[in-house]
Amino acid sequence: MKNKMREKFIASLMILSFTVMGTSPLACAQDDTPFIRSQQPITSIDINSETRIQNGNSPVNLSLRDADVMQVLRMFADQAGMNIIFGQDISGKVTMDLVNVTLQRALSLVISTSKLKYIIQGNTLIITTAGDDSLDVATGSKDIILIPVKYVSAASIADYLNKSIFNKNSISPGASSKPVVTVNPANNELIIMGTHEDALLAQKIIDQFDKKPAITNFKVNHVTPAEMAGLICSTLIPSFMSNGEASKGGAAGGAAGIPTGGAAGVPTGFASDSMSSSGGEGLSIGGGQLLCSVDQQAEAEEMSSLPFKNMTVSYFPTIGMIQVIGGSPTQIEMIRDYIAANDIKSPQAYLEVQLIELTESGSKQFNNTWQYRGHNISINSNGGITTNPYPIFLTGHGYSDVAPAQEATVEKWSTSPQLTWTIYYLIQNSKARSLANPRILVTNGQESVIDLTSDYVAKVTTQYLDSTGSGSSQVQRDYDIQSDNGIKVSVTPFISPDGYVTLDIKPEYSTPSGPPLTTPNPLGGEDIAATLLQRRNLDLKGVRIKDGETLIIGGMIQEEEQKTVNKIPFLGDLPFIGVIFRSTTNKRDKRELVIMITPQILIDTEDAVETTNLDL
């Protein structure tokens, strides 16, 4: 007996262990099931007829093979205790096996599968084909039913109902098979020109879609609202758009490099959109700018999508806020996460820039002047240029020339002949140094420009204007003013956390290359035809500087040398002694631009505290 009890006890333990082992993997599998955060509840709309037949909840247990559909419907009418009327062209067979199905459900199934429709008039069930419009006439459905729409466009709802619900392929047995909905735009309401069943079905659609759009505001602290809204429209929104496109509002074009146009006259979820002749282009309310709106519509041959905007994105620069109208909860959550990840402080650096222009010019002149004065002839050779200050007197003793305002007397040299030699030697040197020392605060990734240029007249045009037609003229001068004469430096920094600043530097240096070119004008004077500039430009990419060190950019040199030699023919070419019969002028002009940049990375107090805590 004890052995049998022991065997039973052991068998019970084995069965229990197998049971536990069999259920444990299932329990583990259930615990490991991932949770989908973005899972949304599924909403369904019952579009079946709201009209109920008598005894509609009574059970039906029926099995038929190739039975005439009219006989089956007569059986249903008898069970409901109702009269029945058939329209024209009703035919067909039906096979069914129904067990514990309500009479109302059985009637709807047979009507749908046989492509028929019905309506109840009192105690009479009227059956006709789906495309037969005589049913509406027979039932006298001539009432006008008004249904108000609160938030969305009534015209959009009406278009959707007429194309997708009330058409020749009506999806509800009790609905009309032709468009029966129009709009009263004054009150934004639907006008139903159909049956009571049509009104009930339209009300179901309105209850589902006529909802106040959700308005979500996001505060941005470190990035400008225009830039963040531009990133959302151009980067984030296309990632969850399906068969849609984003229209850009004209008011925000250029703020973030986004194209304009396209948002006008498209509904955004408000009823007033369908009644506005001009939409989002140029829209600005309270400082807010409409940046983009998302339009997602499916295309089908016999159905229409609701033409509402899925989402609109606006920004308010005065209060640092981005406003999103519409969007699903998952999309709003994505935008919130995107803003949290990108709305961060941009590093800044303090740049001390020194612009130094060094100018050095010099000249060296060595002139020999020979002069001979005789009784009948005088010769002057100044710097190698030979002239005769007096005429050659072959006979006579001079003469006098009396002019109306003066009297001139020219006489021969009366004393003994003279030969003179004059030496002129001059060295000139000049140096100049001009300095500009701007100090600027730059932001990571943002271009900053130091502009030290000046305006100048590049061209002047003079012309006569005959304004009266009588021959009297007026003079008009047009001045072409340019502003690129001088120094201009563009700096774009990248500030890295390791204490280095990488710069894109583009210095531009322009100076006049000489006197302006001139042309005669109609007044007898001269106008400036063109002003030529000499340019010394650099374009440096990725120059890396450590915090506190100085970058020196030099070598932007402009140097000009000129040498002029004048000599007395033959004598100036003689070796050794020819130097006393030559005049030499040497000129040199040299200019150099030096740029020195010293960056200092700025650390906010909050960042310094966080860094100190990490070090501890």
Side-chain angles (χ1 to χ4, degrees):
M1 179 65 71
K2 292 182 179 180
N3 292 334
K4 292 183 178 180
M5 293 180 63
R6 186 183 297 111
E7 292 176 357
K8 291 181 180 180
F9 180 73
I10 293 173
S12 300
L13 288 178
M14 293 178 64
I15 294 173
L16 180 61
S17 63
F18 287 142
T19 304
V20 173
M21 292 177 62
T23 57
S24 296
L26 178 60
C28 293
Q30 292 176 351
D31 293 340
D32 293 339
T33 302
F35 174 72
I36 302 177
R37 182 181 62 174
S38 61
Q39 186 175 0
Q40 300 291 335
I42 299 175
T43 303
S44 61
I45 304 176
D46 184 11
I47 59 173
N48 291 317
S49 174
E50 294 290 336
T51 304
R52 297 292 183 263
I53 62 175
Q54 299 176 10
N55 300 324
N57 294 326
S58 60
V60 174
N61 295 283
L62 192 61
S63 180
L64 298 175
R65 296 293 181 272
D66 294 331
D68 184 70
V69 67
M70 296 179 66
Q71 297 301 327
V72 174
L73 292 176
R74 284 194 181 97
M75 293 170 55
F76 290 162
D78 291 340
Q79 184 172 347
M82 299 180 64
N83 303 319
I84 188 169
I85 298 177
F86 293 99
Q88 297 179 354
D89 301 330
I90 296 179
S91 61
K93 305 247 181 226
V94 61
T95 298
M96 66 180 69
D97 287 300
L98 300 178
V99 179
N100 291 329
V101 178
T102 63
L103 179 60
Q104 180 69 45
R105 184 60 177 166
L107 175 64
S108 298
L109 291 174
V110 173
I111 290 292
S112 299
T113 55
S114 301
K115 296 183 179 180
L116 303 175
K117 66 178 181 179
Y118 72 92
I119 193 170
I120 298 175
Q121 196 75 350
N123 192 34
T124 302
L125 183 63
I126 305 175
I127 308 295
T128 186
T129 57
D132 189 359
D133 297 335
S134 61
L135 179 62
D136 300 335
V137 178
T139 56
S141 55
K142 296 297 184 180
D143 295 337
I144 297 178
I145 304 173
L146 303 179
I147 303 178
V149 181
K150 295 180 181 179
Y151 302 108
V152 299
S153 169
S156 301
I157 293 289
D159 183 69
Y160 173 76
L161 290 173
N162 288 329
K163 292 182 178 179
S164 301
I165 304 297
F166 304 119
N167 54 25
K168 63 180 180 179
N169 297 322
S170 179
I171 59 178
S172 176
S176 296
S177 58
K178 61 181 180 180
V180 295
V181 185
T182 185
V183 178
N184 177 18
N187 297 328
N188 195 52
E189 59 186 3
L190 298 182
I191 303 176
I192 309 297
M193 306 288 293
T195 65
H196 183 67
E197 294 294 323
D198 297 336
L200 294 177
L201 184 55
Q203 187 64 56
K204 288 183 179 180
I205 302 298
I206 294 174
D207 293 341
Q208 177 62 34
F209 297 110
D210 186 24
K211 297 179 180 179
K212 184 178 180 180
I215 300 177
T216 309
N217 296 323
F218 299 97
K219 187 74 175 179
V220 290
N221 299 314
H222 307 294
V223 181
T224 63
E227 292 175 337
M228 182 59 70
L231 288 173
I232 292 173
C233 289
S234 60
T235 304
L236 180 61
I237 287 180
S239 66
F240 54 73
M241 285 170 53
S242 176
N243 191 26
E245 60 181 18
S247 301
K248 307 299 188 299
I258 298 178
T260 61
V266 183
T268 61
F270 290 110
S272 59
D273 288 332
S274 61
M275 295 175 271
S276 175
S277 59
S278 60
E281 186 172 358
L283 181 62
S284 177
I285 302 175
Q289 306 290 330
L290 174 63
L291 190 64
C292 67
S293 55
V294 181
D295 183 16
Q296 300 189 76
Q297 296 185 20
E299 296 182 0
E301 292 184 5
E302 299 180 353
M303 300 189 72
S304 173
S305 297
L306 286 171
F308 298 143
K309 286 298 179 183
N310 172 256
M311 181 189 305
T312 60
V313 179
S314 306
Y315 69 93
F316 296 81
T318 57
I319 57 178
M321 186 179 68
I322 296 175
Q323 185 177 89
V324 179
I325 301 178
S328 66
T330 304
Q331 293 172 343
I332 296 299
E333 186 178 358
M334 290 178 61
I335 293 177
R336 180 178 289 105
D337 295 342
Y338 186 84
I339 292 177
N342 293 278
D343 185 26
I344 57 178
K345 289 183 290 186
S346 297
Q348 291 184 322
Y350 174 78
L351 289 187
E352 182 177 357
V353 184
Q354 292 186 2
L355 304 174
I356 303 174
E357 183 182 15
L358 303 176
T359 304
E360 181 180 353
S361 62
S363 64
K364 182 173 66 173
Q365 298 183 17
F366 181 78
N367 291 338
N368 293 289
T369 303
W370 293 87
Q371 187 175 29
Y372 171 77
R373 292 183 179 182
H375 293 292
N376 295 321
I377 186 173
S378 297
I379 299 175
N380 182 28
S381 177
N382 184 6
I385 301 175
T386 303
T387 61
N388 185 10
Y390 299 101
I392 298 176
F393 292 92
L394 301 178
T395 61
H397 303 281
Y399 68 94
S400 297
D401 184 12
V402 180
Q406 61 182 355
E407 180 178 352
T409 300
V410 179
E411 296 180 353
K412 292 193 299 182
W413 185 256
S414 59
T415 60
S416 60
Q418 295 180 359
L419 178 64
T420 60
W421 176 33
T422 304
I423 299 176
Y424 178 79
Y425 185 70
L426 177 64
I427 296 178
Q428 291 182 341
N429 288 314
S430 63
K431 295 183 178 180
R433 180 174 181 265
S434 59
L435 175 66
N437 189 16
R439 296 172 173 85
I440 59 175
L441 190 66
V442 295
T443 303
N444 191 28
Q446 300 295 325
E447 182 183 18
S448 300
V449 179
I450 302 172
D451 192 348
L452 302 177
T453 58
S454 59
D455 296 340
Y456 65 95
V457 179
K459 183 179 180 181
V460 179
T461 303
T462 303
Q463 58 182 345
Y464 283 109
L465 297 179
D466 187 2
S467 58
T468 61
S470 58
S472 61
S473 303
Q474 295 181 353
V475 179
Q476 175 180 303
R477 286 186 173 89
D478 296 328
Y479 296 89
D480 182 11
I481 306 297
Q482 300 295 331
S483 60
D484 54 347
N485 180 22
I487 302 172
K488 183 177 181 180
V489 181
S490 301
V491 180
T492 304
F494 172 73
I495 305 170
S496 63
D498 60 353
Y500 282 87
V501 179
T502 304
L503 299 176
D504 290 344
I505 310 171
K506 189 176 182 181
E508 300 177 356
Y509 183 31
S510 303
T511 56
S513 61
L517 303 178
T518 60
T519 56
N521 60 32
L523 301 179
E526 291 184 343
D527 288 339
I528 298 176
T531 301
L532 304 180
L533 298 180
Q534 291 181 341
R535 305 181 187 275
R536 285 166 282 173
N537 301 335
L538 291 177
D539 193 356
L540 307 178
K541 301 289 187 181
V543 181
R544 196 164 184 257
I545 317 171
K546 191 174 182 180
D547 181 21
E549 294 184 351
T550 301
L551 171 68
I552 300 177
I553 302 175
M556 301 179 68
I557 301 175
Q558 177 185 354
E559 186 172 0
E560 181 180 355
E561 292 186 0
Q562 182 179 2
K563 182 177 181 181
T564 304
V565 178
N566 297 322
K567 59 186 177 180
I568 298 176
F570 181 71
L571 296 178
D573 296 328
L574 295 175
F576 303 109
I577 64 172
V579 67
I580 64 176
F581 298 103
R582 293 195 300 265
S583 295
T584 304
T585 302
N586 293 321
K587 292 183 178 181
R588 183 172 61 90
D589 189 4
K590 181 179 179 181
R591 294 186 178 185
E592 181 179 5
L593 177 64
V594 179
I595 302 175
M596 295 188 293
I597 301 177
T598 304
Q600 295 180 0
I601 300 176
L602 301 182
I603 300 177
D604 293 344
T605 306
E606 298 176 0
D607 298 336
V609 172
E610 293 177 359
T611 304
T612 304
N613 294 334
L614 291 176
D615 294 339
L616 294 176

